[in-house]
Amino acid sequence: MTRVAAIDCGTNSIRLLVADADPATGELVDLDRRMTIVRLGQGVDRTGRLAPDALERTFAACREYAAIVKEHGAERLRFVATSASRDAENRDEFVRGVLDILGVEPEVISGDQEAEFSFTGATKELTGRDDLAKPYLVVDIGGGSTEFVVGEDHVRAARSVDIGCVRMTERHLVHDGGVGDPPAPEQVAAIRADIEAALDLAEESVPLREARTLVGLAGSVTTVSAIAQDLPEYDSEAIHHSRVSYERVREITERLLSATHAERAAIPSMHPGRVDVIGAGALVLLSVMERIGADEVVVSEHDILDGIAWSVA
């Protein structure tokens, strides 16, 4: 066993996994897995820069994570940063801050690398299951971008497109400093148009419709699963490898997009940091299912974070 630590810093959240990895058996045993909503990508689509308060929220989480990594005695640490820090003019400021706190430089990876990690993390433990046909389509709906990966045991084709839940919310739903309550139909239509255009782009290089099993990753998808199961609180064990039908995803998406902020916030399994962006994230998932004709989505709690951990191990 090798004790490793992985940090995934995305547009909306920063997550830590400390685990014991056994490459011989393919087993990854969690010691600590946590997520903090930091909204690093706040305003990036509009300004092209990381906001000072967004950086401070992120650095505060990094200080907390540094203590946890030290406490567990992880032998290796890898810090991967995704869409927001890839797009920002002042990303050097972000890199210096992380290096000072954690002693490692964040790797601002490409969308293709993101896809590779997501696929490995999501599918490594599905090997040998005869109830899930290959090829898989792994869809990782992040804050700034969404990754599409098709493969059997390894990645065959991948594409990252800019239709994350935060980016779509800030681009189309924010008005006078707040999100529409509920969003107007024309705002929802504008998001849908962006998603459809991005799916066209993804299909230029990824055979989305060849997939036999759709695997959905990240907070928008796991939250939809929690709502579908009427969970009294967020429960990772109940969510991991759950299956949600197309009809249920459609019902939930319509409900979220017609709800007020207060109604979304009152959902027991809803993380406070997702209240404003969950509608856009659910709409991305629904649009993907409609594009490929998927009857259901298999929901995975294991994703890019697990893929990063395996790359270290």
Side-chain angles (χ1 to χ4, degrees), residues 115-129:
E116 185 78 41
F117 287 147
S118 293
F119 187 83
T120 300
T123 64
K124 198 169 182 72
E125 62 189 354
L126 300 181
T127 304
R129 285 188 55 166

Side-chain angles (χ1 to χ4, degrees), residues 102-293:
L102 284 156
V104 295
E105 190 166 315
E107 299 172 57
V108 183
I109 62 173
S110 69
D112 286 345
Q113 288 173 298
E114 239 180 286
E116 185 78 41
F117 287 147
S118 293
F119 187 83
T120 300
T123 64
K124 198 169 182 72
E125 62 189 354
L126 300 181
T127 304
R129 285 188 55 166
D130 54 13
D131 60 327
L132 298 176
K134 298 178 183 178
Y136 306 117
L137 169 60
V138 174
V139 178
D140 187 345
I141 304 171
S145 61
T146 294
E147 281 65 57
F148 296 89
V149 197
V150 165
E152 285 81 18
D153 299 315
H154 299 284
V155 173
R156 178 152 42 109
R159 185 72 180 262
S160 177
V161 291
D162 288 341
I163 51 167
C165 60
V166 174
R167 192 186 297 269
M168 291 296 93
T169 299
E170 290 192 347
R171 185 178 293 172
H172 297 294
L173 300 185
V174 174
H175 181 67
D176 292 333
V179 174
D181 197 20
E186 58 269 23
Q187 292 176 307
V188 176
I191 295 178
R192 173 73 90 155
D194 271 8
I195 294 169
E196 294 300 329
L199 290 174
D200 290 342
L201 205 59
E203 280 201 290
E204 290 177 4
S205 49
V206 180
L208 303 181
R209 298 172 212 245
E210 288 183 18
R212 301 286 304 283
T213 298
L214 173 64
V215 183
L217 315 184
S220 292
V221 181
T222 58
T223 300
V224 166
S225 172
I227 296 169
Q229 297 181 65
D230 293 319
L231 296 179
E233 61 185 10
Y234 192 94
D235 181 345
S236 294
E237 286 191 19
I239 291 166
H240 188 48
H241 289 172
S242 60
R243 300 184 184 197
V244 187
S245 70
Y246 164 75
E247 282 302 323
R248 199 76 178 97
V249 171
R250 184 178 57 77
E251 290 168 11
I252 291 166
T253 303
E254 290 175 356
R255 171 185 165 191
L256 292 169
L257 289 171
S258 61
T260 63
H261 177 96
E263 288 168 341
R264 294 192 302 274
I267 296 170
S269 55
M270 182 74 67
H271 189 289
R274 292 205 186 279
V275 174
D276 285 338
V277 301
I278 185 61
L283 187 55
V284 173
L285 174 61
L286 178 65
S287 301
V288 171
M289 295 182 79
E290 290 176 348
R291 176 65 66 106
I292 70 171

